[in-house]
Amino acid sequence: MRKNIVFLTLLLMGIPSFANKPVKVKSLLKDVRMSLKHNRDQEKQEKVLLENLSREDLQAKEKADMLFACAQLNQSINDQENLKLYLKQKYDTVRFFSSILKINDYLLRCDSLEQTISKKPKHRKHGQYMIAAYRSNLLNGGKWFLQQGKPAEAYPYFSMYLRHPREAMFSNNPDFSSDTQLSKVSYWATLAGYNANQPESVLRHIDYAIASVDSTLRPSLMEYKANSQRAMGKVSDMLGTLRSGVRFYPTHDYFYLHLMEHFLSTDSLEEGILLSDSLAKHVGDRSIYAFGKSQMYFAAKRWDDCILASNHAIQLDSTFADAYYNKSVSYLNQAKAFNATIGDKITSARLRRDRVRLSNLYQMARTPMERFRELRPLEMGRWGKPLYDIYLNLNLEKEFSEIESLLNAK
């Protein structure tokens, strides 16, 4: 009876029961050895180890041993699935490949931890052997997930492969640092990250990919880089990439178009005009450069210059629809501005001359807008109202009625 009272008193005083004492690492690792021996419960034992890794009472050496044990458990899992594959039995492909990725992750974490306590990490040699043995299947795993349309799942495999040469674990291993597949894998990692909409993942490997892939692929990779920088809000970096792109790949129009878009949005119109002139001079006279100038002049409300630049673009490409649009709207804006200056004296000779000039401006706007409609028949939202105004002011009853019907039907 007295013993029971003492025990209850200890509990009330806050002294913990022996039943709550953390499991010793030796006991945990003994359970792992039993699991490996009988080839079962690997995932269960892995979970127990991971739950205990966060314990503050563990030493770095103990945590390293536990991480190495996690790698061994996944090696056992991989062996299970590999045996099924060899025997042509149904096997779990995801389990097969994910165990390889986990082996790499646990071994690198183990080695990193051991470096903090010893110049000669205990598990390094064995870990090097294990990683080398599974390295080719690390790539196969990434490619398999890509084929399954799962770029987000594919990326970690390629990224892990690229990580190896940078690790102290392999600093003296020429097979890793001089691996000829690194450039190819960096390209796959970049594509996987981009298709998974993970801009940070794209930027992690893209510079190496750009420097090492075939020159025909570089413009597209530079495009991915700029898009990823924009997605992450790195505007200054994005502009640097666009400027490099337009310098090295001037006919890959993505860079030029996005720079012009930036100039428009920031009202840096003179920069856009200068860039267009520079490219036309050094690369060649192209309709896209003339149209780019047209856009800058349009934004600056320099209607005469916009018309000249639009005419130049049309001269170089008679199907450049937006050049016709800019030209027509420039004439319309001139007509509206001029109409505001006309007086009310119907009998004056000046008024008659002004009316003729106004009619001519609407007439000059008509042809390019009709051509735009012909080239972009589905874009009534752009050509409908302008043609309505043109036909109204030119007193073209038949054409006006048709446009009015279309707009009303909408």
Side-chain angles (χ1 to χ4, degrees), residues 253-264:
D253 292 330
Y254 168 91
F255 306 111
Y256 171 74
L257 291 173
H258 282 77
L259 276 175
M260 297 300 276
E261 180 183 291
H262 173 75
F263 295 146
L264 282 172

Side-chain angles (χ1 to χ4, degrees), residues 335-361:
K336 291 173 183 177
F338 182 68
N339 188 43
T341 68
I342 297 176
D344 297 326
K345 296 180 181 179
I346 301 175
T347 58
S348 74
R350 181 179 176 183
L351 180 57
R352 287 194 295 271
R353 288 196 304 270
D354 287 350
R355 292 295 183 189
V356 170
R357 181 182 174 187
L358 183 62
S359 179
N360 285 338
L361 287 172

Side-chain angles (χ1 to χ4, degrees), residues 11-59:
L11 284 178
L12 291 171
M13 290 174 62
I15 298 175
S17 166
F18 291 108
N20 295 326
K21 189 174 182 179
V23 180
K24 290 184 178 181
V25 172
K26 286 184 178 180
S27 178
L28 292 172
L29 295 179
K30 181 180 177 182
D31 290 341
V32 168
R33 286 192 293 273
M34 290 299 294
S35 176
L36 294 173
K37 180 179 178 180
H38 297 289
N39 205 24
R40 68 186 183 196
D41 299 329
Q42 296 97 325
E43 281 95 343
K44 177 183 176 182
Q45 292 303 321
E46 179 187 10
K47 183 180 179 182
V48 171
L49 289 175
L50 293 177
E51 288 171 347
N52 279 272
L53 265 177
S54 60
R55 281 166 45 187
E56 295 182 0
D57 64 303
L58 297 184
Q59 297 179 359

Side-chain angles (χ1 to χ4, degrees), residues 133-256:
Y134 290 105
R135 198 157 189 249
S136 61
N137 266 338
L138 196 61
L139 281 190
N140 290 334
K143 288 187 279 188
W144 183 81
F145 278 109
L146 273 186
Q147 291 167 356
Q148 302 302 309
K150 297 179 178 179
E153 287 83 349
Y155 176 82
Y157 290 83
F158 299 135
S159 188
M160 178 64 76
Y161 190 95
L162 293 167
R163 181 180 164 186
H164 290 157
R166 300 194 299 268
E167 294 290 335
M169 193 175 186
F170 301 104
S171 58
N172 297 318
N173 191 326
D175 291 340
F176 285 76
S177 58
S178 60
D179 185 350
T180 57
Q181 291 202 91
L182 292 175
S183 60
K184 188 187 299 181
V185 179
S186 66
Y187 178 68
W188 291 340
T190 299
L191 286 183
Y194 191 76
N195 290 325
N197 195 27
Q198 297 174 348
E200 189 173 351
S201 297
V202 174
L203 297 178
R204 189 170 293 125
H205 301 295
I206 198 164
D207 286 333
Y208 185 77
I210 290 171
S212 55
V213 298
D214 185 87
S215 59
T216 59
L217 298 173
R218 288 174 191 164
S220 294
L221 287 179
M222 290 278 283
E223 185 177 326
Y224 297 162
K225 183 177 181 180
N227 279 336
S228 298
Q229 289 167 332
R230 179 190 288 107
M232 294 186 69
K234 297 183 176 182
V235 177
S236 179
D237 291 343
M238 177 199 71
L239 290 175
T241 300
L242 292 176
R243 292 183 189 279
S244 295
V246 84
R247 182 168 68 250
F248 294 113
Y249 314 105
T251 57
H252 191 83
D253 292 330
Y254 168 91
F255 306 111
Y256 171 74

Side-chain angles (χ1 to χ4, degrees), residues 101-119:
L101 186 62
K102 286 183 177 181
I103 289 170
N104 278 264
D105 179 57
Y106 288 135
L107 290 175
L108 291 180
R109 287 168 63 187
C110 171
D111 191 79
S112 178
L113 195 56
E114 287 188 320
Q115 287 178 61
T116 65
I117 56 177
S118 173
K119 292 182 179 180

